[in-house]
Amino acid sequence: MSPAMQPDDPGAEQPFVSHLIELRDRLIRMSIAIFVVFLALFPFANEIYTFVAAPLMAQLPEGNTMIATQVAAPFLTPFKLALIAAVFLAMPFLLYQFWGFIAPGLYKHEKRLATPLLISSIILFYVGVAFAYFVVFPLIFAFLSASTPDGVAMMTDISAYLDFVLALFFAFGIAFEIPIATILLVAAGITTPAALASKRPYVIVGAFVVGMLLTPPDVISQTLLAVPMWLLFELGIVFSKVLVGRRATVTDEDPDPDASGSAFSSSPSAPEGPAGGSSPGRVTPRPELREIGRDLDPHFDDPDRWQPLSESEMEAELDLIEAEEISKTPRNPDSHPADTARTTSPAINSVEEKIRRANRLRELGSTFAARTVLYEVLEEGDADQRRVARNILNQLDEA
């Protein structure tokens, strides 16, 4: 976004029109990049097609060639290939523009996870295309050429061949993204490495089914797609275990109450909000956390309101919170004390109360106790409550 469009208040939310203007500018840059690369490749369009057709030409019987069954195919087919190659070569710049558009709306920990995933996804897609060209194509075309019936000349149309190889390029490029998809599923909390490992038999069968649907009807090409998909799935599980292990290491660390300050202090270790979404030196909590904080105390947003407490002061504060919750619960004078306990217990131990208590513990500096309560919320809460708990855990990971 241009400097003239920046608001005077750095913490102000950008208007919707300014986002559309920035998106338009980035789309124009992407189109210009594709056009420039295409202009550089178009003079070599025929040579590029010859390179792509080399695996098939090497397997054709002596005297056989490729043919063009349409009038404009000798010009349009290399033209189409040059345009697709331009998009393929400009992909890093295109993804950089896309990343520049969404990055200001991400938190620091989200950027830290997304950047290596974005780079690795580009590399894996290129590796999948290269694997299809150098390994799969020679084997497929050798099999198809050897299985040609007697009396039939194998003379492939250039347009049909281009559509065939582009479909395989896309299939293998997407298949090599399986480790990225696996890591994202685990990072989002949708599944776990153990759950994925338990589904291994279904994944193997599914890989062969996908290979059957996306490749020619021969066992070789189906196996050449299915086996890498399965191995990449296993690789994704390994990296997911590494990710979970790092999170567990951070979770098991004992908190340092002397080093724990206010959640709204200007400490460099405090988590940062989205770029342009908060003033320098102060952390702006997410909307869900603000609502919970205001329920606890009307002065929740006051940065001078919170001070770190000692362990004994924190325990006394928690006892006071529980006593206040019990006193707010109506009690029938004729009821038995056990009935009263059963009545008040759900209110005290409800998921909403656990979220409030975890947030309170976070503000008091007891991150270990806060994590313990938040893990209970992840097991017992609904989708919205789990999202709030994950938000708080993400902020604890950055603290």
Side-chain angles (χ1 to χ4, degrees), residues 306-319:
W306 305 104
Q307 298 295 334
L309 302 178
S310 63
E311 292 295 332
S312 59
E313 292 174 336
M314 183 182 62
E315 293 295 334
E317 188 74 17
L318 293 178
D319 294 338

Side-chain angles (χ1 to χ4, degrees), residues 181-193 196 236 240-241 243-244 247:
T182 303
I183 294 174
L184 289 177
L185 289 174
V186 174
I190 299 176
T191 184
T192 62
L196 290 174
S240 300
K241 290 180 179 179
L243 176 64
V244 173
R247 287 186 174 181

Side-chain angles (χ1 to χ4, degrees), residues 97-118:
Q97 292 297 321
F98 177 74
W99 172 251
F101 179 72
I102 66 171
L106 300 178
Y107 286 85
K108 183 178 179 180
H109 68 280
E110 294 171 337
K111 293 180 182 179
R112 190 167 55 192
L113 177 63
T115 301
L117 290 180
L118 181 65

Side-chain angles (χ1 to χ4, degrees), residues 69-127:
T69 58
Q70 298 177 359
V71 177
F75 170 78
L76 293 180
T77 301
F79 179 90
K80 176 182 177 181
L81 178 59
L83 182 60
I84 295 175
V87 176
F88 182 79
L89 294 178
M91 188 59 64
F93 179 79
L94 303 182
L95 292 177
Y96 171 77
Q97 292 297 321
F98 177 74
W99 172 251
F101 179 72
I102 66 171
L106 300 178
Y107 286 85
K108 183 178 179 180
H109 68 280
E110 294 171 337
K111 293 180 182 179
R112 190 167 55 192
L113 177 63
T115 301
L117 290 180
L118 181 65
I119 297 174
S120 59
S121 63
I122 298 174
I123 296 175
L124 286 175
F125 185 84
Y126 286 162
V127 171

Side-chain angles (χ1 to χ4, degrees), residues 315-359:
E315 293 295 334
E317 188 74 17
L318 293 178
D319 294 338
L320 179 60
I321 293 175
E322 292 186 3
E324 291 177 353
E325 292 293 336
I326 296 175
S327 63
K328 293 178 182 178
T329 305
R331 176 179 177 182
N332 186 353
D334 299 331
S335 62
H336 191 271
D339 297 333
T340 303
R342 284 192 296 268
T343 303
T344 59
S345 178
I348 297 175
N349 297 323
S350 64
V351 178
E352 291 80 2
E353 173 61 25
K354 289 182 178 180
I355 295 176
R356 293 188 177 91
R357 180 175 298 177
N359 191 64

